Amino acid sequence: MNKNNNTCLLLLAISLFLSGCCSTNRETVYQVSTIDALLQGLYDGQTTIYTLKRHGDFGLGTFHALDGEMIVLDGRVYQIRADGVAYLADDDDTSPFAAVTFFSADRTLALPTVTDLSGLVTALDNALDTPNIFYAVRVDGHFSYIKTRSVPKQQKPYSPLVEVAKDQPTFEFNNVRGTIIGLRCPRFVKGLNVPEWHFHFITKDRLAGGHLLEVRFEGSEVLAQIDRTSEFHLVLPNSPEFYHLDTDRDLQDELERVEQ
Ligand SMILES: [Zn+2]
């Protein structure tokens, strides 16, 4: 075997190794911190946007000091601040809580009879193989009405999220094109992430959006894509605040108030 063949074999081995390790990572939900830590006011950034991008091109979260809603879509990280405007996040910005994955649709779902958020949830739930794994979902199309919210940047000492959410700015969109970004976690993630569905929205021009509160649309005008994900990688904060956090409290009531 000549030297060129050896070089080819070496390159083949390297590319197989790389594709093997990346394909494993691509089917993982990579999460920073826990929803209960966020609910209790742990808003200091733990992970850079650069690191999040290395673990996913799709997802949800928030920013250091709770400075807006995070949308990760097609590899870009958008920050919807309290003015409702979407800014591109810098790689060295940080996040106290986020969950990302690499999106690759396993199935596409038409929603001909769906008209609102509860109908969307029911249709998506009916399309799942099991409620016991993670799903990333994107819903692209034209929406007759959308209502979102964001959260204002906080100052220390941080208030719990349920207090912050009382003053959340909301935004309404009529006849808008855009993308709903959804993450569905199994119910047993309670305390770690939001059980069941969590949706954000961004307009097609990627200029505005937020945490999704309400949506109305003609089902024939939107298309859902669903990505199954069975692996979960949780990165916990290495901070004194997290080390001393009371993790015994059940915060589901607070979570439900925050999500509405
Ligand atoms: Zn949200």
Side-chain angles (χ1 to χ4, degrees):
M1 194 175 284
N2 65 33
K3 195 175 168 193
N4 278 348
N5 278 347
N6 280 339
T7 307
C8 285
L9 283 174
L10 180 65
L11 288 173
L12 181 65
I14 290 170
S15 66
L16 283 175
F17 171 76
L18 288 175
S19 64
C21 71
C22 293
S23 64
T24 306
N25 289 338
R26 292 184 75 84
E27 290 301 324
T28 298
V29 170
Y30 177 91
Q31 182 178 316
V32 178
S33 191
T34 70
I35 193 70
D36 275 9
L38 191 75
L39 284 164
Q40 293 186 69
L42 272 65
Y43 305 147
D44 281 344
Q46 300 296 325
T47 300
T48 63
I49 301 309
Y50 174 80
T51 301
L52 285 178
K53 283 176 169 173
R54 288 179 57 217
H55 291 92
D57 58 10
F58 182 98
L60 309 173
T62 185
F63 291 87
H64 173 73
L66 205 66
D67 190 9
E69 306 279 352
M70 179 188 292
I71 289 166
V72 186
L73 183 61
D74 298 325
R76 293 193 179 85
V77 180
Y78 300 93
Q79 180 175 16
I80 317 284
R81 287 215 171 94
D83 56 5
V85 175
Y87 301 86
L88 269 180
D90 289 330
D91 278 355
D92 53 5
D93 288 343
T94 58
S95 170
F97 177 80
V100 297
T101 188
F102 287 101
F103 192 88
S104 59
D106 295 305
R107 69 174 292 188
T108 300
L109 187 66
L111 306 163
T113 61
V114 176
T115 59
D116 60 14
L117 190 54
S118 68
L120 177 63
V121 164
T122 302
L124 292 172
D125 277 343
N126 288 340
L128 305 181
D129 304 320
T130 166
N132 295 337
I133 63 173
F134 294 82
Y135 297 88
V137 170
R138 63 180 290 171
V139 182
D140 293 273
H142 176 267
F143 303 91
S144 53
Y145 175 77
I146 293 261
K147 185 176 182 183
T148 65
R149 73 108 197 271
S150 187
V151 278
K153 185 177 182 181
Q154 300 296 296
Q155 310 288 339
K156 285 190 170 179
Y158 295 138
S159 301
L161 194 52
V162 71
E163 296 300 322
V164 175
K166 285 178 184 168
D167 296 321
Q168 61 188 13
T170 59
F171 312 98
E172 292 178 294
F173 304 84
N174 290 293
N175 292 316
V176 64
R177 290 197 162 274
T179 304
I180 295 172
I181 296 92
L183 180 68
R184 190 191 193 282
C185 296
R187 296 243 284 268
F188 56 73
V189 305
K190 192 174 147 210
L192 298 181
N193 200 319
V194 179
E196 305 192 11
W197 291 102
H198 183 182
F199 298 108
H200 287 187
F201 172 78
I202 190 162
T203 55
K204 190 178 182 195
D205 58 16
R206 309 298 188 233
L207 294 178
H211 171 99
L212 187 71
L213 297 174
E214 288 178 43
V215 57
R216 289 198 291 274
F217 58 92
E218 296 290 328
S220 57
E221 296 180 331
V222 303
L223 196 65
Q225 297 177 76
I226 303 175
D227 179 16
R228 302 161 43 100
T229 305
S230 304
E231 296 185 31
F232 184 54
H233 183 152
L234 180 61
V235 181
L236 296 172
N238 280 309
S239 68
E241 291 86 356
F242 187 77
Y243 288 177
H244 297 110
L245 191 72
D246 175 3
T247 56
D248 287 336
R249 287 175 55 205
D250 185 332
L251 299 171
Q252 282 308 291
D253 285 351
E254 288 190 23
L255 178 61
E256 278 165 30
R257 274 184 279 158
V258 164
E259 288 293 304
Q260 287 165 8

